[in-house]
Amino acid sequence: MAPTYDVIVLGLGGMGSAAAHHLAARGARVLGLERFGPVHAHGSSHGGSRITRQSYFEDPAYVPLLLRAYELYDRIERDSGREIALLCGGMMVGRPDCRTVAGAVRSARQWDLPHEMLDAREIRRRFPTMNPLDDEVALYEARAGLLRPEATVAAHLQLATKAGADLHFEEPVTRWEELPGGRGVRVHTPENSYTAGQLVICPGAWAPQLLADLGVPVRIERQVMYWFEPEGGTEPFLPERQPVFVWEEADGVQVYGFPAIDGPSGGVKVAFFRKNGAPCTPATIDRTVTSAEAEEMAAAMRRVTPTLPGTFLRAVTCMYSTTPDEHFVIARHPAHPGTTTVACGFSGHGFKFVPVVGEILADLALDGTTAHPIGLFDPLRFGTKAETNTTAPASARGGAR
């Protein structure tokens, strides 16, 4: 008979691997289940780099979580011996009243975050690769930079295993259910059935299947990350000379980019933020990137950093799991509040929060509450309370990321 665990974690990508680590580090008997191998590229936690920043244009309510995430990234680097964060600085660029700039300024001022405001002339002087229009400005944040997603997941898996977590890969979940009377949960896979007192679901792009009774409309979108070799080589784009950036055009389209972090042949990574997000599922996503898509990206970059799209090198797809208001869902499941915690709908901007989300999920699973401010992420904000149901619906019987 399979052992009984304190907590089962479904999905061991960014959020799930962090949850498994934090739970096991607190002494819980943890089972982690993942349908793919460790540190895979089938979901959202891959692509070599993710932007991290504190002057958060999305909402100032995120800033306390970011400050804690920075502390935890330092800790997991130290504990795992892996290099994860590179704080090379970052710019939020656009017209002064655009969301990217005005929102970042709002957060920086509300939380007294160190930052500088640069006009177009100063942007060009300090960062010669950048080509702002005369009426564009930037909020520059020295504590912004990038994170390595694969290294982050690997570190959390490493630390979870070291703390005693039992991690199973290539073992998709076929069904989960709450036991009668809310006495725990049972999770089924092709290999076995497992029971536990608590369940933590971190499904990524599998949220519509695994959390069909949550009452949150999560849209799964195909997105593309691109790498280009700049004209004249990567030297001007090295981290000591080139910050990360999010740049909003007059039409509201955002592009973002990174320094060259993977050597002379690695190129420079850039992407659109949410543009062209075709609806998909993990089963139907088109992993082929067309030449027309690459040229659209190159054309956008020629305006903001003209030497960058010299030669197209490669592109990789990923998936955003987007809620209607683009804010996260982190909460006890409304239909299973005694046994089940959920984390989904990270809407393309969640990875920088990975370690603090893991801490929050451990709080919710073990204590039923958390001191972290997560009111913004309540699934009931969408006005639909899931009906209590002790068995995951048939449509939810897919596999966990």
Side-chain angles (χ1 to χ4, degrees):
M1 185 171 184
T4 299
Y5 295 88
D6 295 323
V7 187
I8 296 174
V9 179
L10 302 192
L12 294 173
M15 307 305 174
S17 64
H21 161 52
H22 281 280
L23 287 161
R26 298 186 195 185
R29 294 169 295 169
V30 177
L31 170 65
L33 296 171
E34 168 60 57
R35 69 175 297 147
F36 299 109
V39 198
H40 63 81
H42 301 288
S44 305
S45 300
H46 63 281
S49 57
R50 292 289 186 276
I51 288 177
T52 188
R53 49 194 166 88
Q54 294 181 354
S55 300
Y56 217 60
F57 63 76
E58 287 84 351
D59 196 299
Y62 286 90
V63 174
L65 300 179
L66 286 162
L67 297 177
R68 178 57 176 162
Y70 271 57
E71 294 175 349
L72 292 171
Y73 272 116
D74 286 342
R75 182 185 300 176
I76 63 171
E77 281 191 321
R78 181 177 65 251
D79 292 347
S80 69
R82 298 174 185 267
E83 293 183 2
I84 292 171
L86 175 59
L87 301 184
C88 56
M91 292 196 301
M92 304 300 110
V93 190
R95 288 176 170 82
D97 60 349
C98 74
R99 180 193 184 200
T100 302
V101 175
V105 170
R106 177 186 172 203
S107 285
R109 290 176 176 171
Q110 180 171 327
W111 292 99
D112 195 24
L113 299 173
H115 67 285
E116 300 175 66
M117 296 305 301
L118 311 179
D119 61 18
R121 182 177 179 180
E122 184 65 5
I123 295 170
R124 297 187 200 106
R125 186 188 71 80
R126 290 177 59 172
F127 307 110
T129 60
M130 304 281 95
N131 186 38
L133 300 175
D134 288 343
D135 63 347
E136 291 180 315
V137 300
L139 179 145
Y140 176 76
E141 179 185 329
R143 291 281 290 166
L146 62 93
L147 304 165
R148 295 281 199 173
E150 291 89 347
T152 301
V153 175
H156 279 128
L157 295 177
Q158 171 190 332
L159 296 173
T161 301
K162 183 178 180 180
D166 187 7
L167 307 182
H168 294 195
F169 298 96
E170 307 289 349
E171 188 169 351
V173 170
T174 57
R175 182 165 57 94
W176 64 271
E177 61 201 10
E178 188 173 76
L179 298 175
R183 293 181 292 105
V185 295
R186 181 176 290 113
V187 175
H188 303 273
T189 76
E191 285 75 24
N192 215 328
S193 294
Y194 306 94
T195 58
Q198 293 289 319
L199 177 64
V200 173
I201 304 178
C202 302
W206 286 259
Q209 290 75 44
L210 277 173
L211 294 173
D213 62 344
L214 184 60
V216 177
V218 178
R219 170 188 164 99
I220 309 304
E221 302 174 357
R222 173 186 180 270
Q223 294 290 340
V224 183
M225 300 171 279
Y226 303 84
W227 284 259
F228 292 88
E229 180 181 355
E231 296 175 10
T234 57
E235 185 172 350
F237 290 88
L238 293 176
E240 58 268 26
R241 303 174 67 177
Q242 173 69 40
V244 299
F245 62 88
V246 180
W247 199 308
E248 183 173 335
E249 295 279 34
D251 60 2
V253 172
Q254 293 168 304
V255 296
Y256 64 93
F258 298 82
I261 58 174
D262 294 319
S265 62
V268 174
K269 177 184 169 183
V270 295
F272 290 111
F273 189 38
R274 294 201 182 93
K275 185 182 180 185
N276 302 332
C280 68
T281 70
T284 64
I285 181 173
D286 184 356
R287 300 283 184 180
T288 300
V289 179
T290 67
S291 58
E293 289 178 297
E295 177 51 37
E296 182 184 21
M297 186 76 254
M301 297 314 302
R302 287 188 192 103
R303 210 288 284 171
V304 302
T305 176
T307 65
L308 177 55
T311 304
F312 171 64
L313 297 177
R314 64 189 186 280
V316 174
T317 59
C318 69
M319 288 177 282
Y320 285 5
S321 303
T322 303
T323 64
D325 61 7
E326 298 175 359
H327 295 309
F328 310 157
V329 173
I330 307 173
R332 299 290 269 177
H333 195 307
H336 314 282
T339 62
T340 305
T341 301
V342 299
C344 65
F346 288 94
S347 303
H349 63 110
F351 196 89
K352 59 186 73 66
F353 298 89
V354 157
V356 70
V357 170
E359 187 171 66
I360 291 167
L361 294 175
D363 290 344
L364 294 175
L366 298 180
D367 304 327
T369 187
T370 182
H372 288 295
I374 61 169
L376 185 63
F377 311 139
D378 188 340
L380 299 185
R381 69 187 187 270
F382 296 107
T384 302
K385 184 172 181 179
E387 296 181 1
T388 300
N389 181 1
T390 59
T391 304
S395 61
R397 296 173 188 177
R401 180 170 63 86

